[in-house]
Amino acid sequence: MCAAAAREGGGRTVLADLDPYGARRGIPAGRAFVSEAHTVDGPDRGPHGSHGPPENGTGAGTGAEPGAGAGTGAGAGAKRRSAAEKGSATKKAILAGLRWTSLRLRLVVVFGAVALTAAVSASGIAYWLNREAVLTRTQDSALNDFQQKMQNRAAELPLWPSQSELQSTAEQMADGSAGYSVLLIGERAEGKPVVGASDRDTFTLDDVPESLQQAVNGKQKVTSGNAYPYHVFWLRTELGGTPYLVGGTRIIGGGPTGYLLKSLDQERADLNSLAWSLGIATALALVGSALLAQAAATTVLKPVQRLGEAARQLGEGRFGTRLRVTGTDELADLSRTFNKAAESLQKKVADMSAREESSRRFVADMSHELRTPLTALTAVTEVLEEEADSLDPMIAPAVTLVVSETRRLNVLVENLMEVTRFDAGTARLVLDDVDVADQVTACIDARAWLDAVELDAERGIMARLDPRRLDVIMANLIGNALKHGGSPVRVAVRTEGGSLVIEVRDHGPGIPEDVLPHVFDRFYKASASRPRSEGSGLGLSIAMENAHIHGGDITAANVPDGGAMFVLRLPRNGAEPEPESSATDGEAGPEEEGDAR
C-alpha cells in the first residue's frame, strides 16, 4: 500500500505503516505472483510478475520457486515469438508441398497467405491484449478489495482469535460485490490452528496450492529494496475445470492469514466469445483476400491471356496480329513491345518470302530457258551416239562423254523443275485406281531391272494414287538400292490396315549412322570423294516429296543382318486432288539414281 493509516484497537496498532518497524501489525503494501500458476486457458509456464507498486520493491519472488515474481513481459514475449516461429515454419512446409500450376493459383495462395498472416497476427495480438486487460482488471479489483478488507477487518482481530470470530470476519469480508470466497487461518493457542471460511463447501485450505501457502507464510528479509517481510501473493489455477484466482497474505506483526478464491469463469466465457469473434473475422479476411486475389488475377491475367493468344496466332503464321494498347503500366509496355516485335517479324518474313519467291522464279525460269538448248543438244547427241562407231577412235571417247553429260544435265533440269513445283505448291496429284503389283512391275520392266530385282507382290492390291508419281518414287528407291547397295534388291508390297506398304531392301553395306538422318536432304552426297558422281542428290528428296503429296512417308533404316531398307507408306484411298495447272499437265516425273550412300 502506498500509505497506511494507523488506527488504535485494543490498545495496539493493527495496520501496517510505510515503516514496518513503526507498527506491530498491518497488511503488506505489495503483492507478487506465485510461479506455479494456471491461467484461464491452462497452466502458466512462467511468472506473470508483480502487481505491486514499483516503489515498494516487491514482486522479486517468493523464494518458494526460482523465477517467481518479475518477468511478465519477457515471458509472454518469448511465448509469442515461439508461437510465431512455429506458425511460420508450418506455413512454409505447406507452401513447399504445393504444386503451383498457374499464375492465378499462385496469386490466390500469396494473397491468402498474406491475409491469413496479417489476420492471425492481429487477432492474436488483440486477443492477448484483451485477455491481459480483462484478467488484470478482474484480479486487481479482487486483490485490492481483499487487501482493503484484510486491513479493515482481519487486522482488528485478536492475536488468538476464536473460530467464531474468524468465521464471522470471513463472512463479512466475502459479503460484497467482489464475488469471492474468503478463508482465514489463525491460532487460538501456539501450534493450534483455527480456520474460518465464508463458504466451507466451496473453499477450504486444500484448494490453496502448496506453493501459494509457502509464499504467503514465507518471511522475507527486510532490506532497502524490500520494505516488508510479508506480501500479497496470487496465482491463477483451475479447480474442477473452472478457472480461479487464488490470493493470500498475512498480517504483519502477527494475526490471521487470509486467502481469497474468485471464479474466473465469466472472464473465460468473455474471452472465448472474443476468440470466436476474432476467428470469424480471420475467416472473413481470408475469404475477402481470396476474392481480392481473384479480382487482381483477372485484372492482371486478362492482358496476359490476350498476349498469349496473340503469340499463338503469330506462331500460326498470322503475322498481322496486333494487341490493343491501353494505359501506361508495365503490361501496356509489354503489349507495345509485342506489337513492335510482330511488326518487325512480319516485315522480315515478307522480305524472306519475297526473296524465296524470287529464287524459285529464277530457278523455274532458268530451267525453262535451259530446256530449249537442251532439246537441241539432246538431238545432236543422239545423232552423235548413232554415228559413234564410225567416228575416229580418238574422238569417240569425247563424244561418249558429251552424250553422258548432256543426259545428266537434262535429268538435273527436270529435277530442278520438279523441286520448284513442290516449293511453289503447284504440284498436283492425278489419282487413279491402280493395281500396285502391276505398277511396280511396269516400273522395273521399263528400266530393265527385272534380272536384278526380286518382286514379292500379289496382284489385286488396289490403291488410289497417282501412277506417275508412284513410278518416280519406285524408280528412285530401286535405282538408289541398285547403285549404292548390294544385290539382290528385294521389293515387297503389302497392306497394313488402310495403308499401302512397299519395302525396298538391298544387301549392301548399309547406310552409315551419320548419313542416315540426311539421306532425304537435297543435294546431299554421303561421300565427299564423289562430288561429280552421276547423281545430283535430288532423287531421294523428290521421292519423299511425292510421298508427302500423297499423304504418306518414307523411312530409311539398316537391317540387322546386313543391307539397308527403305519403307514407303501411302494411304490406299487418296484424297481427291485439285485440278492441275497447265504448267504441270503432262510433265514427266523425274527420276534419278541418287547419291544417298
Side-chain angles (χ1 to χ4, degrees), residues 268-338:
R268 181 173 66 176
D270 294 341
L271 292 174
N272 288 340
S273 298
L274 176 62
W276 274 105
S277 300
L278 293 176
I280 294 173
T282 300
L284 292 177
L286 189 59
V287 173
S289 68
L291 297 177
L292 183 61
Q294 286 287 349
T298 301
T299 303
V300 173
L301 293 182
K302 274 189 176 179
V304 175
Q305 290 171 349
R306 287 197 295 267
L307 180 61
E309 180 63 27
R312 281 190 292 271
Q313 293 178 3
L314 200 63
E316 293 170 357
R318 287 180 272 181
F319 299 108
T321 303
R322 298 293 184 274
L323 289 172
R324 182 170 57 88
V325 180
T326 57
T328 58
D329 56 8
E330 289 80 0
L331 291 174
D333 292 340
L334 181 60
S335 299
R336 293 189 186 94
T337 303
F338 175 85

Side-chain angles (χ1 to χ4, degrees), residues 374-436:
L374 276 175
T375 302
L377 285 173
T378 301
V380 172
T381 55
E382 289 177 353
V383 173
L384 290 175
E385 189 177 20
E386 291 175 357
E387 300 294 334
D389 294 338
S390 61
L391 293 176
D392 189 304
M394 298 295 292
I395 301 176
V399 172
T400 303
L401 179 61
V402 169
V403 172
S404 174
E405 291 299 317
T406 301
R407 287 177 176 171
R408 181 170 177 268
L409 181 60
N410 191 54
V411 172
L412 177 60
V413 171
E414 291 295 333
N415 285 341
L416 288 174
M417 292 185 67
E418 184 71 4
V419 169
T420 302
R421 283 192 286 270
F422 282 121
D423 289 344
T426 58
R428 296 290 184 269
L429 290 174
V430 180
L431 297 180
D432 194 9
D433 293 324
V434 299
D435 188 313
V436 179

Side-chain angles (χ1 to χ4, degrees), residues 36-39 207 209 235-239 242-246 261 264:
E36 290 185 358
H38 291 66
T39 65
D207 297 326
L235 59 77
R236 291 196 292 268
T237 186
E238 283 192 3
L239 300 175
T242 302
Y244 284 95
L245 169 68
V246 184
L261 179 70
L264 299 177

Side-chain angles (χ1 to χ4, degrees), residues 319 343-361 423:
F319 299 108
E343 184 178 356
S344 176
L345 180 62
Q346 183 180 22
K347 185 177 183 301
K348 290 182 179 180
V349 169
D351 293 342
M352 292 176 62
S353 299
R355 285 195 295 270
E356 185 178 358
E357 179 63 27
S358 176
S359 177
R360 284 199 301 264
R361 191 181 304 110
D423 289 344

Side-chain angles (χ1 to χ4, degrees), residues 59-354:
T62 66
E65 291 198 12
T72 303
K79 287 195 292 184
R80 290 198 303 275
R81 285 194 298 271
S82 176
E85 289 171 0
K86 290 181 180 178
S88 177
T90 302
K91 188 187 302 178
K92 288 180 180 178
I94 293 174
L95 294 179
L98 288 177
R99 186 183 297 276
W100 290 13
T101 57
S102 68
L103 181 59
R104 183 181 298 274
L105 175 61
R106 279 178 276 176
L107 281 174
V108 172
V109 170
V110 170
F111 269 74
V114 172
L116 184 62
T117 302
V120 169
S121 300
S123 298
I125 294 173
Y127 178 80
W128 181 80
L129 292 175
N130 279 276
R131 176 182 178 278
E132 290 301 313
V134 169
L135 295 179
T136 301
R137 183 176 61 250
T138 301
Q139 72 189 19
D140 283 354
S141 176
L143 292 174
N144 289 335
D145 187 76
F146 174 72
Q147 189 176 20
Q148 185 65 36
K149 289 181 178 179
M150 285 290 291
Q151 177 86 37
N152 296 334
R153 298 183 183 276
E156 295 181 352
L157 291 172
L159 289 176
W160 312 106
S162 64
Q163 196 278 333
S164 61
E165 291 176 327
L166 289 177
Q167 181 74 28
S168 175
T169 303
E171 292 175 354
Q172 293 175 5
M173 292 175 63
D175 186 17
S177 60
Y180 55 78
S181 300
V182 176
L183 180 68
L184 295 178
I185 301 174
E187 291 182 346
R188 57 174 173 265
E190 189 171 353
K192 296 181 180 181
V194 60
V195 178
S198 61
D199 189 350
R200 296 180 181 179
D201 296 332
T202 60
F203 189 27
T204 65
L205 188 59
D206 293 337
D207 297 326
V208 181
E210 185 66 27
S211 59
L212 181 62
Q213 296 183 40
Q214 293 177 1
V216 170
N217 294 319
K219 186 175 182 180
Q220 299 182 19
K221 185 178 180 180
V222 177
T223 63
S224 60
N226 182 33
Y228 300 96
Y230 299 106
H231 300 277
V232 177
F233 293 92
W234 60 272
L235 59 77
R236 291 196 292 268
T237 186
E238 283 192 3
L239 300 175
T242 302
Y244 284 95
L245 169 68
V246 184
T249 188
R250 67 179 301 169
I251 297 175
I252 297 173
T257 300
Y259 296 98
L260 71 88
L261 179 70
K262 179 174 176 56
S263 173
L264 299 177
D265 192 51
Q266 182 60 46
E267 285 71 16
R268 181 173 66 176
D270 294 341
L271 292 174
N272 288 340
S273 298
L274 176 62
W276 274 105
S277 300
L278 293 176
I280 294 173
T282 300
L284 292 177
L286 189 59
V287 173
S289 68
L291 297 177
L292 183 61
Q294 286 287 349
T298 301
T299 303
V300 173
L301 293 182
K302 274 189 176 179
V304 175
Q305 290 171 349
R306 287 197 295 267
L307 180 61
E309 180 63 27
R312 281 190 292 271
Q313 293 178 3
L314 200 63
E316 293 170 357
R318 287 180 272 181
F319 299 108
T321 303
R322 298 293 184 274
L323 289 172
R324 182 170 57 88
V325 180
T326 57
T328 58
D329 56 8
E330 289 80 0
L331 291 174
D333 292 340
L334 181 60
S335 299
R336 293 189 186 94
T337 303
F338 175 85
N339 289 340
K340 290 179 181 178
E343 184 178 356
S344 176
L345 180 62
Q346 183 180 22
K347 185 177 183 301
K348 290 182 179 180
V349 169
D351 293 342
M352 292 176 62
S353 299

